[in-house]
Amino acid sequence: MPQKGGCCRVCSRGVYSCNWKHPSTQGERAGCWFSAVSLVSLLSLCWMYVGMVTFNDREDVNWKGFAVLKLWVNWFMVLIILSAVLTSYCVLLLLFALVQVALREPLNLHWLHKGFLFFGAIFVAAGVAALCHTWPEEGPTVPLSLQATAPFLQFGAVAALTLLSSFVFRGFRMAKDKWSKFLIAAMFALLSAAIFLWPLCIRSPCLMEPSELPEKPKLIGHRGAPMLAPENTMMSFDRSIACGVAAFETDVQVSKDRIPFLMHDYKSGFLRRTTDVEEKFPNEDFSHSSNLTWEQLHRLNAGEWFLETDPFHSVSRLSEEEKETARNQSVPSLLQLLRLAKQHNVSVIFDLLSPNQENDTADTVDAILNSGIDPSLILWLPPAERDYVNKTAPGFVQVYHDKAAMLKGGGNHLNVKYSKLNTEEIRELGGGGVAVNLWVVNQRWLFSLMWCAGATSVTTNSCHLLKDMERPDWLMAPRTYQMTWIVVDVVSVLVLAGLFFFQRKSHCLCKRKGAEGHRNGASAWSEKEMSPFLSSG
């Protein structure tokens, strides 16, 4: 019978089964619930991984939340915190279950844990369904991330397999019939083979000779430097210059009196997120840029929201002077940005948000030509009136949204979301003389991957972080990686074999001692029982 005492034993039993005083007998479905704990732990870890790799695009989730609820909250961070709590709970519960096994305590999961596990499974299932239904464009990010993380995940999987093998070997020994033993052995062998041979399937652009590393991608400031200043304001673009950006990325709309200005949000309530339009015009519900004149737009405050909502949790790093500058930002015109770009010889790339592309394109092109900026600094992205732009301003560089349109138009500049092209396509296009810009790349692991793949430039919110990177986060010669994973696998196999034979020998020794003890006990029992019948002399 298991011992009642022992701090570790009591603590483990109390947390897992809520039996703090006395051990209980093994329940009928204890093994099933142990499997459920293992499965939900694995699912929650996978879900947490998805959350971490999609963190690069967290603003997409926040924007979707704002579009529905008209309230700007960091919804993505809320989901990440909930996922982290769930994952931590499940993994800790699994660790306590393994301790229970090691101590040979009954695996009687408390009903409260069962309820939380059920909630965890529902949470993960709902998250996957929501991801597939409302955010399908994020799907390619997960397999793409494996090109950056798979080598290290494989090393971790080998370590986990080695550490947990003793529990598998113990289960193998305790199995009562040969079919159970065969099933355990077969499943463990298949899992081990899959983990050990996983590197044969790993393909990563960062597995290359260091001498073959392409040039570092240029940085394009996404609405300026929105982590350091309110997006699409002159302060934001000023801060991006300090990052050494090659281009400003922005969004252009045209006012009622035909003045192009900078604003990302579009259609109904397009000014509510980043300006004080509700305070300046409390009884109005502007749905389009042509509802307001440039004078009315320029009077709006476009910086206070940044200090209040702190969208990137970066306001605390600003000085008081910088906070005051941010507080006084207004909606800028395209002309203001063009003057800044001309002064610093920085390119400008933008989307034109308009239901009347023909007229707004003409006004925008006129504003650019009248600004005096070098036409070669204009990276023209809007596709609607491209023929007109080519005739009116042949010096503009034509940039395309997709490969087919670029080939048809005879261009050599491509601007796409980073997940739209695989790393082989990026490398192939770059080798063919095509300048490939990928948006929006904010995280170091993703920037490193795009760098290794040969991207020409990336549009980013975090230019102040990426500018200091001198090399990708990891870069390894294929031969070096091959030798590393072979050595890791061989060491793991040797450790597994040593553990198996050590436990087998210990088990045989314990059985022998137990048998001897049983015989001695039986002899002593017989002597004691028969003592009244034996002569004393």
Side-chain angles (χ1 to χ4, degrees):
M1 187 176 189
Q3 298 176 9
K4 296 181 181 180
C7 180
C8 181
R9 185 182 299 274
V10 172
C11 180
S12 173
R13 186 175 67 231
V15 171
Y16 191 81
S17 305
C18 288
N19 292 319
W20 295 93
K21 295 182 179 180
H22 305 288
S24 59
T25 57
Q26 184 89 335
E28 292 183 1
R29 298 183 180 178
C32 295
W33 282 109
F34 176 76
S35 300
V37 171
S38 303
L39 179 60
V40 176
S41 297
L42 180 61
L43 290 175
S44 63
L45 282 170
C46 293
W47 175 248
M48 193 66 203
Y49 176 82
V50 172
M52 296 304 294
V53 299
T54 56
F55 189 77
N56 181 83
D57 302 323
R58 60 191 181 277
E59 290 309 300
D60 293 351
V61 173
N62 295 336
W63 170 246
K64 289 178 186 293
F66 176 79
V68 174
L69 301 174
K70 304 303 179 186
L71 178 66
W72 185 259
V73 176
N74 198 337
W75 301 108
F76 190 89
M77 188 55 65
V78 172
L79 293 173
I80 283 290
I81 292 172
L82 289 174
S83 300
V85 170
L86 170 65
T87 302
S88 301
Y89 167 77
C90 292
V91 171
L92 284 174
L93 192 61
L94 178 60
L95 290 176
F96 278 111
L98 294 174
V99 171
Q100 289 284 90
V101 173
L103 297 175
R104 301 191 179 182
E105 285 282 340
L107 288 172
N108 295 323
L109 188 65
H110 192 262
W111 63 267
L112 193 60
H113 290 316
K114 295 177 182 178
F116 283 137
L117 282 178
F118 179 75
F119 168 78
I122 294 297
F123 179 83
V124 173
V128 172
L131 181 68
C132 296
H133 183 261
T134 63
W135 207 16
E137 64 273 16
E138 201 64 18
T141 301
V142 176
L144 180 66
S145 72
L146 291 175
Q147 296 187 30
T149 61
F152 308 101
L153 290 176
Q154 193 263 343
F155 294 153
V158 170
L161 180 73
T162 306
L163 290 172
L164 297 176
S165 61
S166 60
F167 296 100
V168 178
F169 296 155
R170 180 175 298 174
F172 177 80
R173 291 196 317 272
M174 294 174 65
K176 296 181 179 180
D177 57 82
K178 63 179 182 179
W179 290 111
S180 297
K181 290 180 179 291
F182 174 77
L183 182 62
I184 293 173
M187 291 182 63
F188 185 73
L190 288 173
L191 180 62
S192 301
I195 292 175
F196 289 144
L197 300 178
W198 185 6
L200 295 176
C201 303
I202 292 176
R203 299 289 183 271
S204 173
C206 290
L207 290 173
M208 64 164 63
E209 298 294 337
S211 58
E212 299 175 356
L213 180 66
E215 181 183 351
K216 180 180 178 179
K218 296 179 176 62
L219 302 179
I220 295 179
H222 185 232
R223 308 173 204 167
M227 289 187 177
L228 306 176
E231 67 177 57
N232 275 335
T233 62
M234 295 311 296
M235 178 185 180
S236 185
F237 293 110
D238 279 327
R239 295 299 299 270
S240 71
I241 291 173
C243 298
V245 297
F248 301 136
E249 188 278 340
T250 189
D251 309 277
V252 174
Q253 302 183 47
V254 179
S255 68
K256 186 176 183 178
D257 48 350
R258 315 308 300 161
I259 304 296
F261 66 96
L262 311 184
M263 179 62 58
H264 170 265
D265 296 2
Y266 184 55
K267 295 185 178 179
S268 179
F270 74 106
L271 296 169
R272 294 176 62 178
R273 181 174 68 90
T274 59
T275 73
D276 61 346
V277 66
E278 291 179 306
E279 295 179 13
K280 296 285 178 61
F281 303 95
N283 300 319
E284 301 287 345
D285 184 20
F286 300 115
S287 60
H288 190 265
S289 60
S290 61
N291 296 145
L292 297 95
T293 65
W294 166 241
E295 181 183 356
Q296 291 173 313
L297 287 163
H298 194 58
R299 285 187 2 233
L300 298 175
N301 183 292
E304 190 69 39
W305 73 275
F306 177 76
L307 301 177
E308 292 177 354
T309 62
D310 195 8
F312 295 99
H313 302 284
S314 57
V315 171
S316 61
R317 295 195 290 270
L318 302 181
S319 67
E320 290 302 319
E321 182 180 354
E322 289 170 335
K323 290 179 182 178
E324 190 61 28
T325 302
R327 185 174 287 109
N328 295 318
Q329 292 301 296
S330 59
V331 177
S333 67
L334 175 61
L335 182 59
Q336 289 175 274
L337 181 63
L338 293 172
R339 288 170 178 168
L340 183 67
K342 178 182 177 182
Q343 178 184 350
H344 294 277
N345 197 39
V346 175
S347 297
V348 178
I349 182 171
F350 59 87
D351 284 307
L352 182 60
L353 307 177
S354 167
N356 187 353
Q357 287 284 331
E358 184 176 352
N359 291 336
D360 287 358
T361 296
D363 291 330
T364 302
V365 170
D366 288 344
I368 295 172
L369 295 176
N370 292 334
S371 70
I373 191 173
D374 183 352
S376 65
L377 292 177
I378 302 300
L379 307 178
W380 186 267
L381 189 57
E385 299 294 326
R386 200 178 292 277
D387 291 339
Y388 166 81
V389 174
N390 271 323
K391 293 177 183 177
T392 309
F396 291 1
V397 177
Q398 297 296 319
V399 183
Y400 295 82
H401 284 292
D402 63 84
K403 182 179 175 181
M406 180 191 70
L407 295 175
K408 183 178 179 180
N412 60 357
H413 285 74
L414 191 61
N415 178 70
V416 295
K417 184 176 174 66
Y418 68 86
S419 56
K420 293 294 184 182
L421 298 175
N422 60 48
T423 52
E424 289 81 7
E425 289 175 317
I426 295 171
R427 183 169 292 172
E428 180 183 342
L429 288 167
V434 176
V436 180
N437 179 64
L438 303 167
W439 54 269
V440 172
V441 176
N442 301 317
Q443 300 297 303
R444 289 177 61 99
W445 71 265
L446 184 56
F447 183 70
S448 298
L449 202 62
M450 298 301 102
W451 185 346
C452 294
T456 308
S457 58
V458 299
T459 301
T460 180
N461 292 326
S462 53
C463 63
H464 60 298
L465 301 177
L466 303 184
K467 72 180 178 66
D468 295 327
M469 289 182 63
E470 297 181 356
R471 291 177 64 83
D473 278 345
W474 72 274
L475 186 69
M476 194 182 302
R479 183 74 175 177
T480 302
Y481 175 61
Q482 184 181 40
M483 293 302 299
T484 302
W485 73 259
I486 289 176
V487 169
V488 169
D489 285 2
V490 169
V491 169
S492 176
V493 169
L494 291 176
V495 172
L496 290 175
L499 283 172
F500 179 78
F501 288 112
F502 174 77
Q503 288 195 7
R504 183 180 180 183
K505 185 176 181 181
S506 299
H507 181 63
C508 293
L509 185 61
C510 289
K511 285 180 68 177
R512 191 178 304 118
K513 287 183 176 180
E516 291 176 359
H518 179 72
R519 285 196 301 270
N520 293 335
S523 175
W525 178 85
S526 299
E527 209 173 294
K528 180 180 178 183
E529 291 297 314
M530 296 181 66
S531 59
F533 305 99
L534 297 174
S535 60
S536 58

